[in-house]
Amino acid sequence: RLFGISANKDTLEAPYIIRVKTEKSISNEIGFNALNASYNDKGSYFTFEIPTMESINQIKLDFEQENFDWRLTLEGSQNQREYFTIIENYRITSIKNELTDFQFTTVRFPNSSYRFFRIRIDSKEKPDLTVAHLTQSEKTEGVFRNYPIKIQEFGENKKEKQTEIKLELQVPVAVSHLKINISDKVDYYRPITIMYLSDSVKTEKGWKYSYSKLTSGTLNSMEENEFKFKCTTLKNLKIIIYNQDNQALSIDSIQVKGYIHEIIARFTEPANYFLTYGNEKAVKASYDIERFTDKIPDTLKALDLGIEQKIGKEKEAAGDPLFENENALTHAEEILT
């Protein structure tokens, strides 16, 4: 709560909302006509027409094949006579077996406005394209705070064929992203599970730790290995990389980060205000400001916190034990006799 004490010693309460500075994505699917699909010794060609001349920056491709590793070139044209290269030697791949289910078939490129788009896939195998989605995607990046790692432990479980990493942060913080930087230059696809320490119990044999899953995915050489999950307050992380029969990867560094959280408050009366917290019995506050966020000004004044002041709670005086009270003791003797 944000409590204020006025000059007249009145207690005020300032309404507030908590705003998390997450990324925002808008994706508009663009209508198109699928024209001719052809095949020759150079590869397979797929042509799309956009009648409205809207710009696009992403094409999602789905194929009947489940296992492939192809390179493609994307070109644009206004008249189908002269084509201009947008991207080339772009890799798309799909791996599906009993251990891995991984796909990378989304083609991303700078905003491009052509009437015709042509994809050439360099492959001796004829690709069976089932669905294509042409979109214009816009993304506003989130604002993060990087959290320093206090302790890092790396281990190889050769029996289970996996790399196990334990991380300890300096203090419990709200974490939503983890990035793993690999120094190996070879191609790789490794299933990965990210967990956090959710409970610990001391037993006769020592401490027993319980981990809860945050997310799972595929560590791979084609994308930025940044994993996003629900914002969770934690201090200890555990990462398992399933190497299968491959040599363990060389990990260059690991980054742990979380979204910046802001408190947006409205002050209507002068007073000395205090940000108070720590009441475990308090319920979530409900203010009108939550329903009128569009009225919040774009420019706000930033406030700095003062020195933390701990509010001590006086312990209630405990009554004397029954038999330490002289009168009670005498009364008890009378009852016994």
Side-chain angles (χ1 to χ4, degrees):
R1 300 290 190 271
L2 286 171
F3 290 125
I5 301 176
S6 68
N8 297 327
K9 303 300 181 183
D10 292 330
T11 301
L12 309 172
E13 184 172 348
Y16 70 89
I17 60 171
I18 296 178
R19 186 162 62 185
V20 183
K21 307 196 77 170
T22 61
E23 63 267 17
K24 297 179 181 179
S25 299
I26 300 175
S27 183
N28 296 317
E29 190 155 346
I30 308 300
F32 68 94
N33 299 318
L35 302 182
N36 58 307
S38 57
Y39 176 80
N40 60 23
D41 57 352
K42 294 183 179 179
S44 297
Y45 296 82
F46 302 92
T47 305
F48 311 104
E49 179 189 16
I50 300 180
T52 58
M53 287 295 294
E54 295 183 76
S55 65
I56 64 172
N57 57 16
Q58 186 169 283
I59 300 177
K60 175 71 170 65
L61 304 170
D62 290 332
F63 298 92
E64 184 68 28
Q65 291 93 333
E66 293 183 337
N67 290 280
F68 57 83
D69 189 3
W70 300 327
R71 302 278 178 167
L72 64 77
T73 296
L74 175 66
E75 301 170 313
S77 174
Q78 303 293 6
N79 51 27
Q80 283 192 293
R81 291 188 294 273
E82 183 179 18
Y83 275 92
F84 301 91
T85 301
I86 300 172
I87 54 171
E88 59 183 342
N89 200 34
Y90 192 96
R91 188 177 184 182
I92 57 174
T93 188
S94 175
I95 302 173
K96 188 172 184 178
N97 52 44
E98 65 277 4
L99 298 174
T100 303
D101 188 356
F102 171 78
Q103 271 199 352
F104 183 78
T105 58
T106 299
V107 185
R108 299 182 177 90
F109 48 92
N111 287 339
S112 300
S113 180
Y114 291 98
R115 183 173 180 181
F116 301 96
F117 288 88
R118 183 173 68 183
I119 291 176
R120 185 186 79 237
I121 298 178
D122 302 322
S123 170
K124 294 181 180 179
E125 176 186 10
K126 185 177 180 181
D128 187 359
L129 179 64
T130 56
V131 179
H133 299 275
L134 280 63
T135 58
Q136 171 63 41
S137 297
E138 297 181 6
K139 184 177 180 179
T140 301
E141 297 295 334
V143 182
F144 299 92
R145 177 178 284 111
N146 289 310
Y147 297 118
I149 299 172
K150 181 180 178 181
I151 299 175
Q152 295 186 104
E153 296 180 4
F154 296 83
E156 298 300 326
N157 188 331
K158 294 184 178 181
K159 181 180 179 181
E160 299 295 333
K161 300 180 181 180
Q162 60 192 32
T163 300
E164 297 180 1
I165 306 166
K166 291 183 179 180
L167 306 176
E168 181 180 338
L169 306 180
Q170 292 182 344
V171 294
V173 287
V175 176
S176 57
H177 288 68
L178 186 143
K179 185 177 181 180
I180 302 176
N181 299 305
I182 305 296
S183 57
D184 296 84
K185 302 304 180 183
V186 298
D187 289 325
Y188 55 87
Y189 311 92
R190 309 285 173 90
I192 183 174
T193 300
I194 301 172
M195 301 176 284
Y196 75 101
L197 181 62
S198 56
D199 194 14
S200 59
V201 179
K202 190 174 184 180
T203 66
E204 295 179 355
K205 298 182 179 179
W207 285 93
K208 182 178 180 181
Y209 300 101
S210 298
Y211 287 86
S212 298
K213 179 180 173 182
L214 287 169
T215 189
S216 60
T218 304
L219 197 69
N220 67 89
S221 55
M222 299 184 65
E223 301 174 281
E224 291 286 337
N225 287 309
E226 184 165 339
F227 300 90
K228 178 182 175 182
F229 41 84
K230 182 181 178 181
C231 191
T232 305
T233 300
L234 56 86
K235 185 179 180 181
N236 297 80
L237 285 157
K238 185 176 182 179
I239 305 166
I240 298 178
I241 303 172
Y242 303 93
N243 297 314
Q244 301 166 29
D245 294 321
N246 301 293
Q247 183 177 348
L249 295 169
S250 299
I251 298 174
D252 182 57
S253 62
I254 300 176
Q255 295 172 281
V256 180
K257 60 184 182 179
Y259 294 116
I260 294 291
H261 289 60
E262 294 179 331
I263 293 178
I264 310 298
R266 183 176 64 226
F267 301 96
T268 57
E269 298 184 44
N272 290 326
Y273 285 93
F274 299 86
L275 172 63
T276 65
Y277 59 94
N279 184 354
E280 296 180 355
K281 296 182 180 179
V283 298
K284 184 179 183 295
S286 178
Y287 301 112
D288 291 336
I289 192 175
E290 297 178 8
R291 298 169 179 83
F292 300 96
T293 55
D294 58 322
K295 300 294 181 64
I296 297 176
D298 295 330
T299 303
L300 298 173
K301 184 178 180 180
L303 301 179
D304 294 325
L305 292 175
I307 299 174
E308 182 183 34
Q309 303 175 32
K310 293 187 178 181
I311 303 174
K313 184 178 181 182
E314 294 183 3
K315 294 184 178 180
E316 296 181 2
D320 293 332
L322 179 62
F323 292 106
E324 287 185 9
N325 184 300
E326 185 177 348
N327 294 332
L329 180 60
T330 302
H331 180 60
E333 290 174 347
E334 291 175 354
I335 295 175
L336 291 174
T337 56

